[in-house]
Amino acid sequence: MTQRRKTGLVFFPAFDWAISPTHPEREERLLYTQDQVFEEGLLDFENIVEYKPGLATIEDINRIHICVPDARSVITESHLISAGGAITAAEKVLEGAVDNAFALVRPPGHHAMRVVHGARGFCNINIEAVMIEHIRRKYGHRRVAVIDTDCHHGDGTQDIYWHDPDTLCISIHQDGRTLYPGSGFPDEFGGPNALGTTINIPLPPETSDEGFLHVLEEVILPIVQEFKPDLVINSAGQDNHYTDPITNMRFSAQGYARLNERLKPDIAVLEGGYSIEGALPYVNVGIILAMAGLDYSHVREPDYDPGALRQSDEITRYIREMSKDVLELWKRRHTFKAEIVKGARYARRNRNIYYDTDGIREQQEETVRICNDCGGFIAVNSMASTGNRVYAVIIPSRSCDLCRLEGERHFHGVDKAKQGVHYLVLQDRDRDVYVVK
């Protein structure tokens, strides 16, 4: 038996919001979990406490996103409550009301990137990132590790923190060659000022509990321990479950609970998971019990058969070899910068981004100042198939004097008409300033 901990729960099923009445991302995802929590009497435990979600603000969104044309245009009130639920969970932990907290909220958020022209992968705003920047603004800067255990690569969170040396993003997911969004490979390793703070661990289809827990013990926990975060956040997607209708993995409720027990997140935030009756009630109950330090051994799906879910020997060998490679890459992270930068003052990358939920295409050029003292100021030139074009200058958290000076000069030197942009944005994360011209 593990030590009991006081655990906070925040529920927000978003009764009035769904992509469509029959879409996998709909309110029933949480209603079955809520019923299971009540029926199992979890709220009768003195160390499990329910809280109502708060409401995120537009300022919370603008602190981390560049929404085009503006935040109000790309969200509904449900998105503010979902992000607000994550913030409530974090506040209860940071203020000492509970030891840890689980925000069981929707709509999800981990596919929403820094620039938002619409919805991708059912996500409009990144609720974990909104929560993290709220924490940093209200409680002071925190070194954060985000462990994304959704079956889909957490590409939005990766994009937002690509250049941030103080945020470790680890995503464990089904191989992108077999599943949306098609990214999340080990060579996606962070920007030149933050090499190694992005870690991707793609797993083969039909990986079972054994594979997930091996990666946790051999890769994730050693990296997190060395990074020494102030907070560990679990971006908790439940769609690795063997009954999930849109993925191909073999994870079980017991496996999820064990993973959570070992990871010990301070805050968990629900992401995906679309086996509404067969998985989510059992997985979420298992995670809640594990977070609270209670016995979860009795949590079983009605058709649970560990023998039938066993991964092949070939998959076991593959995962063991890949784990060694990823850990070796992490150990050598400080040796790559000079070779990648080659003395340049700036690094650029061009990307084509597809918003599958809204059918929008975006072309983006991103430029970051090479810096050894902070994440570097960033300039983003983005044009979408909606016709909207935005140019954004981002001054990072804990910016050095030179990046601040160059970022401000760059912003004031942009000629909107000459650049052909509709919106010129300054996002100053240090001073919590968001300006649109």
Side-chain angles (χ1 to χ4, degrees):
M1 178 70 71
T2 57
Q3 185 178 2
R4 283 197 178 195
R5 293 177 292 273
K6 192 169 183 179
T7 297
L9 299 183
V10 180
F11 283 109
F12 180 61
F15 291 103
D16 59 346
W17 185 88
I19 291 175
S20 74
T22 58
H23 194 280
E25 176 43 52
R26 62 183 191 274
E27 59 267 36
E28 282 88 348
R29 288 186 60 221
L30 274 179
L31 297 180
Y32 280 95
T33 288
Q34 214 167 13
D35 287 347
Q36 193 82 4
V37 167
F38 293 153
E39 288 176 12
E40 297 287 344
L42 265 60
L43 293 176
D44 294 335
F45 287 101
E46 290 183 355
N47 62 322
I48 299 179
V49 185
E50 183 181 4
Y51 298 100
K52 299 302 177 189
L55 191 68
T57 64
I58 296 300
E59 288 74 22
D60 287 322
I61 297 172
N62 288 343
R63 198 170 284 134
I64 195 69
H65 285 298
I66 311 294
C67 294
V68 188
D70 54 52
R72 288 284 182 195
S73 301
V74 299
I75 62 163
T76 66
E77 189 173 27
S78 290
H79 294 96
L80 292 176
I81 303 175
S82 179
I87 289 171
T88 298
E91 288 182 336
K92 296 301 177 185
V93 174
L94 270 292
E95 292 171 5
V98 293
D99 297 310
N100 54 36
F102 190 3
L104 288 144
V105 297
R106 57 176 292 277
H110 76 147
H111 293 303
M113 297 183 169
R114 180 189 297 114
V115 177
V116 176
H117 287 278
R120 304 179 65 253
F122 320 155
C123 302
N124 294 59
I125 56 168
N126 194 303
I127 57 177
E128 283 94 347
V130 170
M131 175 189 74
I132 291 167
E133 298 314 312
H134 180 93
I135 289 171
R136 287 172 167 166
R137 177 52 45 186
K138 186 170 181 179
Y139 301 98
H141 192 81
R142 296 291 194 281
R143 195 167 163 88
V144 173
V146 180
I147 316 302
D148 190 316
T149 52
D150 191 279
C151 195
H152 303 83
H153 173 224
D155 59 345
T157 312
Q158 170 174 301
D159 177 67
I160 289 170
Y161 291 111
W162 185 253
H163 298 294
D164 184 351
D166 291 331
T167 306
L168 173 67
C169 291
I170 301 179
S171 182
I172 176 173
H173 47 264
Q174 184 173 324
D175 193 310
R177 292 170 293 186
T178 64
L179 191 70
Y180 177 89
S183 55
F185 300 101
D187 63 351
E188 296 168 46
F189 198 55
N193 300 326
L195 288 165
T197 56
T198 295
I199 300 287
N200 283 296
I201 309 167
L203 298 177
E206 301 185 352
T207 296
S208 70
D209 290 2
E210 178 186 353
F212 281 92
L213 297 176
H214 175 84
V215 169
L216 176 73
E217 297 291 346
E218 300 300 323
V219 184
I220 296 174
L221 291 180
I223 290 175
V224 170
Q225 187 175 22
E226 190 173 343
F227 184 75
K228 294 182 172 57
D230 301 310
L231 288 171
V232 174
I233 296 165
N234 180 203
S235 192
Q238 324 300 30
D239 43 3
N240 289 291
H241 194 266
Y242 63 87
T243 63
D244 197 277
I246 64 173
T247 64
N248 310 97
M249 304 300 256
R250 293 183 175 179
F251 213 22
S252 72
Q254 281 292 307
Y256 269 111
R258 175 67 178 160
L259 183 147
N260 194 280
E261 181 182 57
R262 294 288 295 130
L263 184 62
K264 293 183 174 62
D266 297 292
I267 304 152
V269 179
L270 182 69
E271 280 294 339
Y274 306 98
S275 178
I276 292 171
E277 294 181 69
L280 281 166
Y282 307 100
V283 171
N284 287 329
V285 164
I287 290 175
I288 293 167
L289 290 171
M291 290 185 78
L294 297 168
D295 180 19
Y296 57 80
S297 61
H298 61 286
V299 178
R300 293 278 195 282
E301 302 87 339
D303 62 347
Y304 178 61
D305 179 358
L309 299 177
R310 186 178 176 277
Q311 68 191 27
S312 70
D313 293 340
E314 182 182 3
I315 288 176
T316 299
R317 285 193 295 273
Y318 179 87
I319 291 174
R320 288 178 183 273
E321 288 303 312
M322 185 186 60
S323 297
K324 292 177 186 173
D325 293 343
V326 172
L327 198 56
E328 180 64 22
L329 197 61
W330 161 260
K331 290 176 180 174
R332 296 173 54 214
R333 64 193 182 282
H334 297 304
T335 67
F336 300 128
K337 185 167 183 175
E339 182 182 344
I340 292 171
V341 170
K342 293 184 171 63
R345 292 185 61 214
Y346 295 90
R348 290 185 175 81
R349 59 175 182 163
N350 291 285
R351 297 187 298 159
N352 295 307
I353 300 167
Y354 183 55
Y355 295 68
D356 57 299
T357 306
D358 280 349
I360 298 169
R361 293 194 179 278
E362 177 193 2
Q363 289 184 311
Q364 188 182 109
E365 181 185 77
E366 177 195 85
T367 304
V368 62
R369 180 179 180 271
I370 303 300
C371 184
N372 292 321
D373 299 318
C374 72
F377 97 80
I378 302 165
V380 180
N381 191 352
S382 165
M383 183 170 62
S385 56
T386 56
N388 283 323
R389 186 164 187 174
V390 61
Y391 194 98
V393 175
I394 300 159
I395 297 176
S397 300
R398 303 211 297 177
S399 60
C400 70
D401 291 344
L402 197 50
C403 278
R404 163 162 299 283
L405 183 64
E406 289 205 19
E408 290 174 342
R409 280 179 179 167
H410 190 76
F411 173 72
H412 292 299
V414 174
D415 186 325
K416 274 178 65 178
K418 192 173 181 180
Q419 291 272 7
V421 299
H422 305 108
Y423 311 98
L424 174 61
V425 177
L426 174 66
Q427 184 185 68
D428 186 337
R429 292 183 183 169
D430 256 348
R431 296 179 178 171
D432 201 22
V433 170
Y434 189 85
V435 176
V436 182
K437 288 185 177 179

